[in-house]
Amino acid sequence: MADVERQLEGRAEVLAAARRPHLELEQALSGRRWRRALARRPELVPALVAEAQAVEEALERVQRRAAQEAWPDDMPVLKAARELSARRERLTRLARRRLDVLTVAPKDIPLEQALTRLDALVRQVVRWELKPGEVLVHEAFAQRFQRRDKARRLRSELPAHYGWRLAVSLCAAFAVVLLAPPELKKLAGFLFMAIAMAPAAWDLLRSGHTRLTSERLLWKPLLGETQEVRLGTIAEGGVRVERDWDVCVVGDRRWRARSLWEAPELALLIELHRQPPLRGAARAGVRLDTVAVFPARLGKRKGFCVLGPQGLSFIPEGRGAQSLRAVTGHPSTLRGFDSDLVLDALRWLPEAEFDTCVTRMVEATGGVAWARADARYVPGSPVWRRIRVEHRGLTLTGRVNWDQQDAAERLLRDWPQ
């Protein structure tokens, strides 16, 4: 045995020394709190990576010598080599699985690359506060209910299973109250209600606060660590909505925000701000205030009106997907939003680019556009109550919300009456 180890020229010692860092890393990544375990031991990954080339060369040399010289299976150095090889295979699978939780990586990524990238992601500091020059675009818990009343929004965005689950639980609890023995009625009723409300309570515990900025997408869950993904790293098809109110994003990291009532709206904004023409447009920190966007009717058609200095555009209701495609230039799987949200997001653009996008939206959705010189504004009511514009026998009516009132009044002063 001593002669064999001398012939291996120190490679047996390399294998013996490699056993501990491989074992400790496997133990760290196997636990439920593997991120914390990895962060607490910053020396583990660098130590393993530094000796990787020597370890691979030693394993290859031992295995080649064993095959050439027909070493017995119980030879210590061969057993050590086989145990280390098996541990490296397990560690490779484990590191790839852990890395897949945080980001997208090649399935065949080597062990040392997987560990290095995993270690960097775990140690990356995510700051909730805005960086210098960074502009806040959207917050999921901001007051965004101006366009719809809260009851309608709640009915439309809560998953359907909450309704029937609550109805079944109430019926079951009522039956228990009638049929159960007196001493068990309270306990049984409480149990049924607890079971029925458990999914809603679980979603509440998984909820949190999200921010979309000019540079990043942030998620601060009620329980857990803050997540971040850079907008410029989100690829085509990297934004989707699951369960009606979970937003999933794939970029330089995997990002998931749960239990958001504004999931379709947030997904739309991410899709718009990750690519031209809105990519980076919010960095200026200025929203276009020379236009007004409001719900309107053109005859019997419902839709949305864009009132500008040179005229107005009308986009029919229910054309959200077509509007998004007109702006970005390609289709999207996102649904659950209408054109008014696209128009509101476009107000981060300069006026000329905004007008270009609106023109494309009108063409794509079958809308109409009227020049100011060819139309007539009919005064008589405050703009928050009613706006009436006529054009060649057609009438457009609508009203603006309070945040658009000043812009609408300023624009309509110059319209023919």
Side-chain angles (χ1 to χ4, degrees), residues 295-303 314 395-398:
R297 280 179 176 268
L298 181 58
K300 295 182 179 181
R301 300 171 70 190
K302 293 183 179 180
F314 174 82
T395 301
L396 181 141
T397 58

Side-chain angles (χ1 to χ4, degrees), residues 129-385:
E129 296 75 17
L130 299 184
K131 301 175 183 178
E134 192 173 16
V135 176
L136 181 64
V137 174
H138 176 81
E139 284 192 274
F141 290 161
Q143 295 299 321
R144 305 285 292 185
F145 297 112
Q146 292 88 349
R147 287 183 294 273
R148 309 178 195 174
D149 64 274
K150 294 183 180 180
R152 179 184 172 189
R153 191 178 187 93
L154 183 63
R155 289 194 303 270
S156 64
E157 295 187 358
L158 276 178
H161 64 80
Y162 277 82
W164 63 255
R165 182 183 287 119
L166 183 59
V168 169
S169 64
L170 289 175
C171 292
F174 182 71
V176 167
V177 171
L178 291 179
L179 302 176
E183 63 274 10
L184 296 179
K185 286 184 177 181
K186 290 184 178 180
L187 178 61
F190 175 79
L191 180 61
F192 273 104
M193 291 301 295
I195 294 174
M197 299 306 295
W202 174 245
D203 281 329
L204 177 63
L205 291 175
R206 297 193 307 163
S207 65
H209 187 182
T210 187
R211 277 181 172 177
L212 173 64
T213 77
S214 55
E215 310 294 334
R216 303 175 293 157
L217 184 59
L218 295 160
W219 167 247
K220 182 191 288 185
L222 190 63
L223 301 174
E225 300 177 352
T226 303
Q227 302 175 27
E228 174 189 84
V229 63
R230 290 177 291 139
L231 293 180
T233 66
I234 303 173
E236 182 68 28
V239 183
R240 68 182 190 276
V241 177
E242 294 182 353
R243 292 194 330 130
D244 297 331
W245 57 354
D246 287 357
V247 180
C248 302
V249 177
V250 177
D252 57 338
R253 299 183 67 120
R254 291 190 186 274
W255 186 96
R256 187 184 186 102
R258 304 175 184 273
S259 303
L260 292 175
W261 286 7
E262 296 177 322
E265 177 177 353
L266 176 62
L268 170 67
L269 291 176
I270 298 169
E271 183 70 9
L272 284 168
H273 282 271
R274 74 167 186 84
Q275 61 187 314
L278 276 170
R279 178 75 182 101
R283 292 171 186 161
V286 178
R287 298 258 289 168
L288 188 64
D289 61 357
T290 57
V291 298
V293 179
F294 55 92
R297 280 179 176 268
L298 181 58
K300 295 182 179 181
R301 300 171 70 190
K302 293 183 179 180
F304 308 98
C305 177
V306 182
L307 185 66
Q310 306 304 320
L312 64 79
S313 299
F314 174 82
I315 298 173
E317 190 178 52
R319 303 290 197 278
Q322 295 92 324
S323 296
L324 177 59
R325 181 171 184 172
V327 172
T328 63
H330 51 78
S332 172
T333 59
L334 298 180
R335 297 293 183 269
F337 60 89
D338 215 328
S339 302
D340 59 331
L341 299 181
V342 180
L343 291 168
D344 185 67
L346 291 177
R347 291 176 58 206
W348 288 103
L349 295 173
E351 186 173 340
E353 292 185 50
F354 177 89
D355 291 342
T356 299
C357 289
V358 171
T359 299
R360 294 205 299 262
M361 289 174 62
V362 169
E363 294 174 354
T365 61
V368 298
W370 296 347
R372 186 183 67 178
D374 299 331
R376 184 175 74 92
Y377 167 57
V378 181
S381 300
V383 294
W384 55 266
R385 180 176 292 174

Side-chain angles (χ1 to χ4, degrees), residues 29-159:
L29 294 178
S30 297
R32 291 180 57 193
R33 299 183 178 182
W34 58 271
R35 293 185 229 193
R36 184 176 300 178
L38 196 60
R40 285 178 176 176
R41 301 289 303 277
E43 75 284 359
L44 289 181
V45 172
L48 187 146
V49 172
E51 300 297 327
Q53 186 174 354
V55 170
E56 290 180 355
E57 194 273 337
L59 286 171
E60 191 275 334
R61 178 68 178 272
V62 169
Q63 291 166 355
R64 186 175 67 249
R65 286 284 303 275
Q68 291 174 350
E69 301 175 11
W71 289 356
D73 291 341
D74 59 351
M75 181 173 285
V77 67
L78 180 57
K79 289 177 63 178
R82 288 175 173 172
E83 290 175 1
L84 184 58
S85 294
R87 174 159 282 126
R88 283 177 61 83
E89 290 179 5
R90 292 196 303 270
L91 188 56
T92 299
R93 292 193 297 268
L94 185 57
R96 289 171 179 172
R97 190 165 70 247
R98 297 308 190 195
L99 186 61
D100 190 60
V101 173
L102 301 180
T103 188
V104 177
K107 293 183 179 180
D108 57 349
I109 184 172
L111 172 61
E112 286 72 24
Q113 291 184 25
L115 288 174
T116 300
R117 190 169 179 185
L118 185 63
D119 192 49
L121 290 172
V122 167
R123 299 187 191 291
Q124 182 179 351
V125 178
V126 178
R127 301 189 182 279
W128 178 255
E129 296 75 17
L130 299 184
K131 301 175 183 178
E134 192 173 16
V135 176
L136 181 64
V137 174
H138 176 81
E139 284 192 274
F141 290 161
Q143 295 299 321
R144 305 285 292 185
F145 297 112
Q146 292 88 349
R147 287 183 294 273
R148 309 178 195 174
D149 64 274
K150 294 183 180 180
R152 179 184 172 189
R153 191 178 187 93
L154 183 63
R155 289 194 303 270
S156 64
E157 295 187 358
L158 276 178

